[in-house]
């Protein structure tokens, strides 16, 4: 009986997801291929399941597009001195849909832009204590204006949110660079 209750609660929580169609009329419109073109910078943080801040970081991003194929080169600078890289290969498809891959992404990432929103979902391998742990990422980007995008990501394992990542992208000062923990 307890197991049935737990399964029912999990099913109800997972079925309460946001539908991107809700944002169809929202503005300003977010076009991923336009926004992530050229140089931009982002600042973010990771919070655990208790909402406690566990890490902060800055990301330098360079995006290039040729027709419907894009590349995003991301360099992450974490507050503990770690530096990591992710190189996205993106393909724009019909109806605002995208597919993508990167070194630490398992399989294919799928996303869709509509109105002021981009919804992106994928599996990511994260190194934790010397092991790679696979998380499901449910990623939502919201256009604030032509220069700024706000991003919230839930990191899930077995349908349970274990961490959240919050990012603020800014394209208005492309010459700005991340401060590095090692004072480079």
């Amino acid at each position: 009986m307890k197991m049935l209750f737990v399964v029912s609660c999990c099913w109800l929580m997972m079925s309460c997801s946001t539908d991107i169609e809700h944002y169809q009329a929202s503005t300003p419109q977010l076009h991923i291929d336009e926004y992530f073109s050229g140089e931009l910078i982002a600042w973010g943080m990771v919070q655990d399941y208790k909402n406690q801040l566990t890490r902060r970081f800055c990301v330098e991003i360079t995006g290039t597009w040729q027709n419907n194929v894009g590349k995003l080169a991301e360099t992450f600078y974490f507050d503990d001195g770690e530096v990591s890289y992710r190189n996205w290969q993106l393909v724009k498809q019909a109806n605002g849909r995208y597919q993508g891959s990167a070194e630490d992404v398992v399989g294919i990432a799928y996303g869709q832009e509509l109105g002021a929103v981009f919804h992106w979902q994928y599996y990511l391998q994260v190194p934790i204590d010397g092991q790679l742990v696979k998380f499901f990422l449910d990623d939502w980007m919201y256009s604030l204006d032509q220069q700024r995008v706000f991003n919230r990501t839930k990191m899930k394992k077995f349908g349970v949110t274990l961490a959240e990542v919050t990012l603020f992208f800014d394209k208005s000062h492309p010459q700005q660079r991340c401060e590095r923990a090692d004072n480079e």
Side-chain angles (χ1 to χ4, degrees):
M1 189 67 161
K2 285 182 184 179
M3 182 59 117
L4 180 61
F5 176 73
V6 170
V7 169
S8 296
C9 288
C10 289
W11 180 80
L12 282 172
M13 288 189 311
M14 290 188 306
S15 66
C16 296
S17 66
T18 304
D19 184 359
I20 195 166
E21 298 294 325
H22 173 77
Y23 299 101
Q24 186 168 4
S26 62
T27 59
Q29 288 192 348
L30 177 59
H31 298 288
I32 296 302
D33 58 337
E34 293 172 14
Y35 187 78
F36 288 100
S37 182
E39 305 284 324
L40 62 144
I41 191 167
W43 298 268
M45 64 179 182
V46 180
Q47 293 172 276
D48 66 14
Y49 65 96
K50 297 183 278 185
N51 283 332
Q52 292 183 357
L53 178 66
T54 60
R55 296 185 95 180
R56 289 175 296 147
F57 59 92
C58 182
V59 188
E60 295 173 354
I61 304 166
T62 302
T64 57
W65 289 84
Q66 186 169 17
N67 299 318
N68 290 332
V69 177
K71 294 181 182 183
L72 298 182
E74 302 175 327
T75 304
F76 294 82
Y77 299 94
F78 290 91
D79 58 347
D80 62 4
E82 179 187 346
V83 177
S84 66
Y85 306 91
R86 182 172 299 126
N87 294 290
W88 282 102
Q89 289 77 43
L90 305 173
V91 178
K92 182 178 181 178
Q93 301 177 320
N95 300 322
R97 296 188 184 277
Y98 287 80
Q99 287 187 358
S101 61
E103 307 92 321
D104 52 356
V105 171
V106 179
I108 302 294
Y110 296 95
Q112 181 179 7
E113 62 188 19
L114 191 61
V117 174
F118 181 69
H119 184 213
W120 192 230
Q121 294 181 315
Y122 54 96
Y123 287 93
L124 184 71
Q125 290 186 344
V126 179
I128 299 176
D129 296 330
Q131 295 185 15
L132 290 176
V133 179
K134 185 169 84 170
F135 288 94
F136 175 74
L137 274 68
D138 189 22
D139 198 342
W140 288 86
M141 296 181 189
Y142 304 90
S143 177
L144 301 175
D145 59 32
Q146 297 302 317
Q147 301 297 319
R148 292 166 202 79
V149 169
F150 186 76
N151 182 198
R152 293 189 65 200
T153 304
K154 292 184 179 186
M155 296 180 70
K156 299 178 181 184
K157 188 82 174 158
F158 305 116
V160 176
T161 299
L162 298 178
E164 290 194 33
V165 179
T166 306
L167 277 154
F168 178 74
F169 295 94
D170 187 358
K171 217 180 148 144
S172 62
H173 302 288
Q175 72 283 359
Q176 187 169 357
R177 292 284 168 238
C178 296
E179 284 187 35
R180 290 140 172 94
D182 60 2
N183 296 323
E184 282 184 23

